Amino acid sequence: QKEVEQDPGPLSVPEGAIVSLNCTYSNSAFQYFMWYRQYSRKGPELLMYTYSSGNKEDGRFTAQVDKSSKYISLFIRDSQPSDSATYLCAALLYKTSYDKVIFGPGTSLSVIP
Amino acid sequence: GAVVSQHPSRVICKSGTSVKIECRSLDFQATTMFWYRQFPKKSLMLMATSNEGSKATYEQGVEKDKFLINHASLTLSTLTVTSAHPEDSSFYICSARLAGGFSHEQYFGPGTRLTVT
């Protein structure tokens, strides 16, 4: 079982739709949960990170974490064509000697004008 | 905001040769840099963690003699793929962490596409 799992898609939605992206994880020791956006042939860009269960909102983006079910989500409201990218969920494993980010495989999103 | 550059963005080399990829933090000091490898439609796989002035820590299964990492300054880390083979062809991405930050506070470079013929 992979530590962070994500449906690779592709996901195609019309402009203005609400997008829901989801991940599950297996390791209870993960402490931070992140969402990155990656455009084609570019490096990932951090969108949001959360520490505890609950919701965190930033503009059109809402990140949600449910530690009891090991489930993380990203919601995008009023989706725009510029949101078309691959979205990577990730989790941070922190130990006293090192910390390490584990990435999911990413979900490819296309927002159609 | 924090900008990380990589050079070259794309390189083609012949089998058996070595290739060096540079990762620079342009407007901040990075005591730690990370090197990742990404296959199409796959996760970023951490290869190694590079700390300025000390030896890199490699992930299990990554050959340290094949993927040489040097982090000689607070703004530059290099990855050298030695004796490259076609199976080393991949997208290599570096990231840099702000001094004192957690790993989630990493800033990624644009990546280097390596093709070994």
Side-chain angles (χ1 to χ4, degrees), chain A residues 2 4 8 32 34 36 38 41-46 49 88 92 94 99-101 103-106, chain B residues 10 34 36 38 41-44 46 59 91 93 97 101-106 108-111 113:
Chain A
K2 295 180 181 176
V4 178
Y32 281 84
M34 294 79 75
Y36 291 85
Q38 186 176 22
R41 298 190 182 89
K42 300 290 185 183
E45 168 195 12
L46 179 65
Y49 69 89
L88 303 161
L92 173 65
Y94 176 71
D99 49 297
K100 179 178 170 180
V101 176
F103 287 87
Chain B
R10 183 184 294 267
F34 304 87
Y36 294 87
Q38 188 176 33
K41 294 182 170 49
K42 299 290 185 184
S43 306
L44 275 75
L46 179 65
E59 294 299 304
F91 193 51
I93 305 177
R97 183 171 71 191
F102 281 108
S103 278
H104 70 274
E105 296 174 305
Q106 348 180 354
F108 285 84
R113 172 76 57 192

Side-chain angles (χ1 to χ4, degrees), chain B residues 31-42:
Chain B
T31 51
T32 303
M33 290 185 172
F34 304 87
W35 286 95
Y36 294 87
R37 185 171 177 177
Q38 188 176 33
F39 293 101
K41 294 182 170 49
K42 299 290 185 184

